[in-house]
Amino acid sequence: MRPAQRALRRTAAAVVLLAAVSCAPQPESSGKPSASASGACDKGELATETPGRLTIATDEPAYEPWFKDDDPAGGKGFESAVAYAVAERLGYGKDKVVWQTVPFNKAFAPGEKTFDFDINQVSISDERKKAVDFSSGYYDVRQAVVALKGSTAAKARSVADLKDVKLGAQVGTTSLDYINDVVRPTRAPAVYGKNDQAKSALKNGQVDAIVVDLPTAFYITGAEVTDAKIVGQFAHRGGTPEQFGLVLDKGSALTSCVSRAVDALREDGTLGRIEKQWLSDAVDAPVLK
């Protein structure tokens, strides 16, 4: 083929391709600006589920000391206070915050979310990061063992002492992970849908002890199951602190903005002040080794 003919055919093919691309169906817009479109984290103008409002999710009931009187919107309790502090940093006042009920396990399950972020004592983990985004950690937490006073489990001084203990925890939690991966008991742990069910099982003698995060353990023993005690807390695995993080949709345009807000609250001492106000009773407990 002559050079002139080859050039003519290439030109014709390019015209056809351009026409096909121009006529091809274009992807529909979600209606929310992307991270690049919105530029910096413009206060009050983020790519939220509902323009001009910030939708925050948590489970029901909302337990103390994380929330007060089962009322996330009240602003009282550690996580309620943190949520509103983050919202304010993002440019959303209390009147612009909408609360939504989402079960604990559903918050970090695969699938598109209907909230902007979820706050519900969800520990950051590599496994969960496969399905959702996390903000920077807003609280360093340890897991603790709670048992009825005078029971055999209450006398445990080490992880080895818990091997033959019937343990229980909420499904999908790092509390349950600690039982399975650290204690490795001889009997399968009892698994419950809610912490309330685990506490009832402890009261009724269906389990010898339950594992929960340390602040929750102090609240349980101080206000809910007063004939129980904190046996001890687990050391961090691998020396890395377990942290609670805000949960966002995978690939959310808000993730970096929310993380910046959390980081700023930690740096200026706000998180520390909120922790002191609402979790001051969560003092040291013996470390189980």
Side-chain angles (χ1 to χ4, degrees):
M1 185 180 296
R2 295 177 182 177
Q5 289 177 317
R6 284 199 295 267
L8 183 60
R9 290 195 177 188
R10 284 198 298 268
T11 302
V15 171
V16 172
L17 178 60
L18 179 61
V21 171
S22 300
C23 296
Q26 300 300 308
E28 294 183 5
S29 170
S30 64
K32 295 191 293 185
S34 66
S36 58
S38 60
C41 301
D42 300 325
K43 289 192 172 184
E45 299 180 2
L46 303 180
T48 55
E49 285 291 324
T50 302
R53 296 188 179 275
L54 189 68
T55 303
I56 306 176
T58 195
D59 202 353
E60 186 179 46
Y63 301 107
E64 296 194 29
W66 311 106
F67 301 92
K68 186 74 173 175
D69 300 325
D70 192 16
D71 180 18
K76 296 180 179 180
F78 179 75
E79 290 195 327
S80 183
V82 168
Y84 280 117
V86 171
E88 185 176 354
R89 278 278 177 180
L90 295 174
Y92 298 88
K94 196 171 182 179
D95 62 326
K96 300 298 183 182
V97 172
V98 178
W99 285 91
Q100 185 181 102
T101 299
V102 173
F104 178 80
N105 283 330
K106 190 174 180 180
F108 50 86
E112 188 175 354
K113 308 307 176 190
T114 56
F115 52 77
D116 293 312
F117 69 75
D118 178 279
I119 183 167
N120 190 25
Q121 308 113 66
V122 181
S123 294
I124 301 169
S125 73
D126 290 338
E127 183 64 28
R128 290 172 178 171
K129 283 182 179 179
K130 295 176 183 178
V132 295
D133 281 358
F134 280 98
S135 71
S136 301
Y138 63 87
Y139 180 66
D140 296 354
V141 66
R142 288 195 179 191
Q143 299 299 317
V145 179
V146 175
L148 295 180
K149 297 174 182 176
S151 66
T152 301
K155 300 174 184 176
R157 295 293 178 268
S158 67
V159 172
D161 292 338
L162 297 170
K163 291 284 187 185
D164 297 322
V165 169
K166 180 65 175 178
L167 297 166
Q170 183 177 343
V171 65
T173 60
T174 49
S175 302
L176 184 59
D177 290 341
Y178 267 78
I179 294 175
N180 290 324
D181 301 337
V182 178
V183 179
R184 298 180 182 177
T186 56
R187 289 185 283 175
V191 181
Y192 302 97
K194 301 275 188 180
N195 263 336
D196 274 350
Q197 296 169 343
K199 286 181 286 187
S200 295
L202 179 65
K203 286 181 183 179
N204 298 332
Q206 295 170 301
V207 291
D208 300 317
I210 60 173
V211 177
V212 293
D213 59 76
L214 188 57
T216 298
F218 273 98
Y219 184 76
I220 289 173
T221 55
E224 297 182 308
V225 189
T226 54
D227 58 340
K229 63 171 287 188
I230 297 175
V231 178
Q233 61 180 314
F234 293 104
H236 292 306
R237 290 187 286 182
T240 302
E242 177 185 347
Q243 291 187 314
F244 290 156
L246 305 176
V247 182
L248 298 96
D249 206 355
K250 188 67 176 174
S252 172
L254 301 182
T255 302
S256 61
C257 296
V258 173
S259 284
R260 288 183 207 173
V262 173
D263 291 341
L265 293 172
R266 185 180 292 278
E267 289 169 9
D268 70 10
T270 300
L271 288 182
R273 289 191 292 272
I274 295 174
E275 181 178 337
K276 184 176 180 180
Q277 179 180 2
W278 295 107
L279 303 180
S280 59
D281 289 338
V283 295
D284 287 338
V287 177
L288 301 166
K289 297 181 179 179

